Amino acid sequence: MADTTFGPKGWTPERLGTLAGKTYVITGANAGAGFQAARILLGKGAEVVMLNRSAEKSTAAVSELKQEFGTAAPVRFVRMDLAEQASVRKAAEEVLKTTPRIDALICNAAIAQVPTRQLTPDGFESQLGTNHYGHFTLCGMLFDCIEQSQGRIVVVASLGYNMGLKTIRFDDMNWDAGYAANTAYSQSKLAQMMFAYELQDRAEAAGRNVEVYVCHPGSSATSLISTSGSRTMRAIWWLMTKTPMVQSAEQGAYPEVMCATEEALTEQRALYGPTGTREFVGPVGKGTLNAHAYDKPVMARLWERSEQDTGFTWTL
């Protein structure tokens, strides 16, 4: 049954009051839903720090936002390549030096549908290394600062977690055998969700004051597929964007902004996003969360494996 917590139209930015004095850190914010999230937050008076791979695109994005909100608009970027653990650590250190408070870290950036198997500089399958391992280390490094602000971590997942193997293939996480673009992508997004739900458990057990929410943008007209997908996938996606089954990038940003800001949001073990047709589009609220996403033994094993692979040990 559709979530009606926020009325028949679901959650929209109209619910937001002023966010003056608050700071939001967003990965992958120079385009798509991340950029639209930055726009919404800036429009409510918040400060936004973008963590993006491309300095050129980031400069253009900041310029566009300052044109809209004024030259004094508090938006800036720190260069970070999620696919490189060294880059993630360097960027996190820069954020900690320059950003005294973090009201929410929005883990928005991702790559998807990489047509042929690729490895990150650290030797991880590219989608797992970028989408999961990069955010795993980033969240860990910024966690104390987020807690000091009584802030939140928002993991932007995907309905793709329901596809593929629906678990983690621990014996071959890099897909040395049997690589398929969608299957590997699905595992990377499932890993992100499992990380978030395991973090909820560990933070609660340790008495740490950080809320962790998981959302997805539904089917939104962003550059995700066109950036990293195959030519065939890009063509299929282009056709889909012409149908009612795809919504705007701005609408795709609503779930992550809601999870970063909404005070009435209390249930953390949930998946938030569109609640309309197939949960691709429609009013934003609490959607369907399938149990394989919080399989406790798998979550705990993934956490330990993630610490081992990244070399980053959380302190909770």
Side-chain angles (χ1 to χ4, degrees), residues 133-178:
Y133 283 145
H135 282 123
F136 179 86
T137 299
L138 179 67
C139 290
M141 292 191 68
L142 299 184
F143 188 86
D144 288 346
C145 183
I146 297 167
E147 184 181 38
Q148 289 168 10
S149 308
Q150 298 183 5
R152 300 179 177 186
I153 291 174
V154 179
V155 171
V156 181
S158 164
L159 291 179
Y161 87 99
N162 276 321
M163 303 174 70
L165 303 179
K166 298 186 180 181
T167 190
I168 305 299
R169 191 167 76 161
F170 289 107
D171 61 341
D172 187 10
M173 292 177 70
N174 282 340
W175 300 93
D176 293 318

Side-chain angles (χ1 to χ4, degrees), residues 277-298:
T277 306
R278 298 179 67 182
E279 299 187 1
F280 283 7
V281 295
V284 170
K286 188 178 77 169
T288 304
L289 174 61
N290 291 315
H292 68 272
Y294 52 94
D295 183 326
K296 185 62 181 179
V298 179

Side-chain angles (χ1 to χ4, degrees), residues 85 89 122-124 128 132-133 136-137 169-174 195 202 299-314:
Q85 286 286 309
R89 290 170 186 255
D122 301 296
F124 308 131
L128 183 72
H132 171 53
Y133 283 145
F136 179 86
T137 299
R169 191 167 76 161
F170 289 107
D171 61 341
D172 187 10
M173 292 177 70
N174 282 340
F195 155 65
R202 291 181 181 233
M299 293 195 314
R301 185 178 177 187
L302 175 64
W303 185 284
E304 293 167 2
R305 177 66 180 269
S306 299
E307 288 193 332
Q308 173 187 326
D309 285 354
T310 63
F312 180 83
T313 302
W314 278 66

Side-chain angles (χ1 to χ4, degrees), residues 26-39:
I26 311 174
T27 67
N30 58 19
F35 179 78
Q36 295 300 327
R39 284 187 68 245

